[in-house]
């Protein structure tokens, strides 16, 4: 095997790695914030890598983008105003805009270059960017939320890189407190929460920070994601209101196409593994 034909991301702490066979490197650049690479792969279409970590591939991004958006949007009673912090590839924005109830969706990514590259190499993810309800801002999401007025948003989706570099503060109690303060009555934050197998400590710290920021209701959802360490990813919802039910009828009758999400997937994603329940004393 010629290593130069493969892109490999090591999950150092877990003694594991994930590789994709590449045809060619299409682009690389150092932006003001991070090192961006785009590859053409043999079997996963195009691949975006930020600071050595896989972000998005043509083939499997639908798992992540659908599970970061639809469970929360079908749980909130009436989601009208949605912010996506990070999410520069625009895939989450596209899913959010499938909901007719959404009147405004603002994507706030610190790095405009991520979006400009997504427009070239992942045009299918950017096809709703001109929706009149969509707004793209290129500033620090931490500052955006800190400066926001109370009751200015219904759902905040944190579609960020891992908690290093510019994304570190997006996993802090101070950030969740700022989210709590600007969310409406039934408001909720959804954050990508890494792998329960590889990053359980981080997941616990995140849940603790969300709880101590004032969110009384937490729910971690599980889904496959081939591209990310362990292949098994999660999103955590922190809500002001109960998460015991979601809008099952609306989910069952969704008037738009998805590739992974449906009502049965939603229900299944809520099932909590035994080791997870034990780690966080869940019933
Ligand atoms: N799905 C990916 C994952 O879990 O690995 C995340 C993809 S998305 C491209 C991550 C985005 O978060 C990047 O475009 C990065 O610029 C953005 N980001 C990191 N820190 C940020 C911050 N403080 N404010 C806004 N965006 C941020």
């Amino acid at each position: 095997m010629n290593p130069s034909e493969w892109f490999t991301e090591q999950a150092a702490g877990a003694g594991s790695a994930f590789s994709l066979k590449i045809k060619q490197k299409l682009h690389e650049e150092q932006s003001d914030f991070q090192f961006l690479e785009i590859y053409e792969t043999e079997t996963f279409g195009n691949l975006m890598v930020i600071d050595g970590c896989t972000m998005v591939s043509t083939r499997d991004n639908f798992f992540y983008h659908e599970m970061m958006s639809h469970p929360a949007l079908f749980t909130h009673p009436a989601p009208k105003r949605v912010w996506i912090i990070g999410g520069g590839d625009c895939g989450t924005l596209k899913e959010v805009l499938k909901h007719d109830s959404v009147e405004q969706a603002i994507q706030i990514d610190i790095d405009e270059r991520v979006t400009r590259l997504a427009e070239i190499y992942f045009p299918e993810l950017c096809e709703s960017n001109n929706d009149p309800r969509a707004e793209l801002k290129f500033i620090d999401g931490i500052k955006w939320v800190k400066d926001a007025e109370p009751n200015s948003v219904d759902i905040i989706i944190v579609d960020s890189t891992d908690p290093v570099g510019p994304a570190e503060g997006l996993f802090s109690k101070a950030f969740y407190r700022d989210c709590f303060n600007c969310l409406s009555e039934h408001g909720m934050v959804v954050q990508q929460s890494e792998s329960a197998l590889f990053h359980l400590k981080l997941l616990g710290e995140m849940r603790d920070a969300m709880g101590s920021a004032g969110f009384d209701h937490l729910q971690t959802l599980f889904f496959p994601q081939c591209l990310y360490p362990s292949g098994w990813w999660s999103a955590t919802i922190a809500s002001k209101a109960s998460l015991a039910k979601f809008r099952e009828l609306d989910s069952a009758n969704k008037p738009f196409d998805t590739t992974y999400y449906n009502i049965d997937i939603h229900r299944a994603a809520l099932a909590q593994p035994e080791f997870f329940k034990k780690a966080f004393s869940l019933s």
Side-chain angles (χ1 to χ4, degrees), residues 196 220-222 232 268-279 282:
T220 298
L221 299 98
F222 303 91
W232 185 52
L270 298 176
Q272 308 287 290
E274 286 302 313
F275 78 89
F276 194 81
K277 288 203 264 187
K278 203 182 265 181
L282 307 174

Side-chain angles (χ1 to χ4, degrees), residues 27-282:
H27 183 82
E28 70 170 45
E29 71 178 77
Q30 175 65 50
S31 75
D32 288 344
F33 303 96
Q34 46 214 351
F35 187 62
L36 310 173
E37 294 165 275
I38 308 282
Y39 294 92
E40 182 186 359
T41 72
E42 288 272 352
T43 54
F44 273 63
N46 288 346
L47 169 72
M48 180 186 285
V49 174
I50 298 185
D51 287 340
C53 297
T54 54
M55 287 293 127
V56 63
S57 87
T58 310
R59 184 176 182 188
D60 80 338
N61 74 80
F62 62 88
F63 290 104
Y64 177 89
H65 290 137
E66 292 182 13
M67 294 307 283
M68 286 294 285
S69 46
H70 302 310
L73 276 123
F74 279 125
T75 301
H76 192 285
K80 291 186 178 149
R81 300 162 298 172
V82 181
W83 295 346
I84 299 149
I85 308 291
D89 56 60
C90 305
T92 300
L93 178 67
K94 180 180 157 188
E95 295 305 316
V96 165
L97 289 165
K98 289 180 178 176
H99 290 253
D100 288 340
S101 68
V102 171
E103 294 171 357
Q104 180 197 52
I106 309 181
Q107 177 183 289
I108 305 109
D109 197 295
I110 200 167
D111 194 345
E112 180 169 359
R113 290 302 303 154
V114 174
T115 300
R116 297 300 162 232
L117 293 178
E119 286 166 349
I120 299 168
Y121 298 108
F122 299 91
E124 71 284 6
L125 299 183
C126 298
E127 61 193 25
S128 299
N129 287 8
N130 292 327
D131 185 302
R133 299 170 295 160
E135 227 178 291
L136 305 187
K137 296 200 177 290
F138 299 107
I139 52 169
D140 187 346
I142 298 168
K143 181 167 165 33
W144 172 266
V145 170
K146 196 177 176 53
D147 293 347
E149 298 288 326
N151 188 25
S152 44
V153 60
D154 301 316
I155 299 181
I156 301 175
I157 301 176
V158 189
D159 179 359
S160 71
T161 38
D162 296 339
V164 285
E168 198 174 348
L170 295 172
F171 291 73
S172 70
K173 179 181 162 188
F175 172 70
Y176 299 133
R177 168 69 67 182
D178 291 336
C179 289
F180 188 93
N181 290 339
C182 65
L183 280 163
S184 56
E185 195 190 343
H186 292 94
M188 54 184 73
V189 179
V190 191
Q191 179 148 18
Q192 71 91 358
S193 48
E194 313 270 315
S195 164
L197 186 65
F198 284 6
H199 313 113
L200 193 63
K201 183 168 172 285
L202 188 147
L203 232 160
E205 287 163 2
M206 179 193 276
R207 289 174 61 100
D208 284 349
M210 287 168 157
S212 55
F215 292 100
D216 287 336
H217 308 274
L218 301 181
Q219 197 169 64
T220 298
L221 299 98
F222 303 91
F223 52 93
Q225 190 64 58
C226 188
L227 203 62
Y228 296 160
S230 85
W232 185 52
W233 216 242
S234 71
T236 296
I237 303 180
S239 175
K240 290 187 173 184
S242 168
L243 290 165
K245 289 189 183 144
F246 65 100
R247 291 186 286 113
E248 296 208 359
L249 205 59
D250 291 341
S251 166
N253 297 313
K254 64 181 173 56
F256 52 79
D257 283 340
T258 45
T259 308
Y260 182 65
Y261 177 88
N262 59 37
I263 185 168
D264 295 326
I265 290 290
H266 190 151
R267 289 193 188 116
L270 298 176
Q272 308 287 290
E274 286 302 313
F275 78 89
F276 194 81
K277 288 203 264 187
K278 203 182 265 181
F280 302 123
S281 306
L282 307 174

